[in-house]
Amino acid sequence: MSFKVLFETQRLLIVKALTNEHLTPLLPIYNDVKTMQYIPSKRDTPWTIQDIKDKYNINQKLYTDGLGLYLIYLKKEGKNECIGELCLLNYASNTAFVEIGYIIHQTYWRQGLGTELILATLKYIHENVPQRTNVIAQLFEKNIASAQLLYKTGFKFQSKEKLQHGEYKLIFHYDL
């Protein structure tokens, strides 16, 4: 499969899905309960390939601004492997801000890939989306590993907001 590479690191390729076929590897990631435990979703049923296609189609307009949804591939000799997703989204109506989100399949946790991804993403935003001078990341308070990752990559804690059902989300901020 050929992809449009957004950026790459030593071990990762961040690519734009060019066809619906490119989205198929996300299905086992989206349906892995542990991987998705801290990803906001109001789903009561497993994801289908059509659900993923619909999600990506909704976000098509973001690509013109250098934002959007991208696949994360681990570079492997012979065949690269899809291990997750990177989201670069508008944050509220503030054009100086971009929100980042990421999903990495649990098989690849605690291998330094999140650090590698975030540092390269910050560099990409700085160099390719210059009108965005601030980066925001939001996560559930229970997602301790992601909070540690954000601190490690230079993000600062900004605020804590109460959600429904007594849960809280944390908002982190990074100045480019």
Side-chain angles (χ1 to χ4, degrees):
M1 283 188 247
S2 63
F3 295 102
K4 181 178 188 294
V5 176
L6 185 69
F7 62 86
E8 65 181 287
T9 70
Q10 181 179 352
R11 297 181 291 168
L12 301 172
L13 287 171
I14 310 308
V15 302
K16 179 179 176 184
L18 299 176
T19 69
N20 287 334
E21 180 183 81
H22 292 151
L23 300 176
T24 303
L26 287 174
L27 197 55
I29 296 167
Y30 275 40
N31 284 317
D32 185 279
V33 175
K34 188 170 182 180
T35 297
M36 299 297 284
Q37 67 186 326
Y38 299 120
I39 306 300
S41 175
K42 296 181 173 79
R43 300 191 64 81
D44 294 335
T45 59
W47 284 85
T48 66
I49 193 62
Q50 188 60 51
D51 295 330
I52 296 172
K53 289 176 187 176
D54 292 346
K55 177 182 172 182
Y56 272 71
N57 285 335
I58 289 169
N59 287 283
Q60 287 295 315
K61 63 185 176 291
L62 293 171
Y63 293 121
T64 57
D65 295 331
L67 307 178
L69 301 175
Y70 299 92
L71 306 175
I72 303 168
Y73 272 81
L74 181 63
K75 296 177 185 177
K76 286 190 167 186
E77 233 176 275
K79 185 177 182 189
N80 298 326
E81 181 179 356
C82 183
I83 64 165
E85 175 182 77
L86 172 67
C87 306
L88 301 174
L89 306 170
N90 292 310
Y91 181 70
S93 60
N94 191 329
T95 58
F97 285 75
V98 60
E99 180 177 353
I100 66 165
Y102 45 88
I103 302 167
I104 297 176
H105 191 278
Q106 65 166 319
T107 304
Y108 301 97
W109 292 354
R110 310 207 75 64
Q111 297 178 31
L113 296 170
T115 302
E116 193 171 316
L117 172 69
I118 292 193
L119 292 174
T121 301
L122 293 171
K123 181 179 181 202
Y124 165 81
I125 294 168
H126 178 71
E127 293 175 355
N128 297 282
V129 195
Q131 71 276 21
R132 309 294 178 134
T133 57
N134 299 280
V135 181
I136 294 290
Q138 301 185 68
L139 54 123
F140 287 117
E141 181 180 38
K142 293 185 230 174
N143 192 348
I144 295 166
S146 266
Q148 291 172 334
L149 175 61
L150 293 171
Y151 283 124
K152 181 179 181 179
T153 54
F155 279 76
K156 306 282 187 257
F157 175 76
Q158 180 174 307
S159 64
K160 177 178 176 177
E161 296 180 12
K162 189 169 186 171
L163 302 170
Q164 297 175 357
H165 312 296
E167 293 185 290
Y168 288 88
K169 76 173 176 180
L170 305 178
I171 300 175
F172 287 81
H173 178 263
Y174 185 96
D175 290 322
L176 292 171

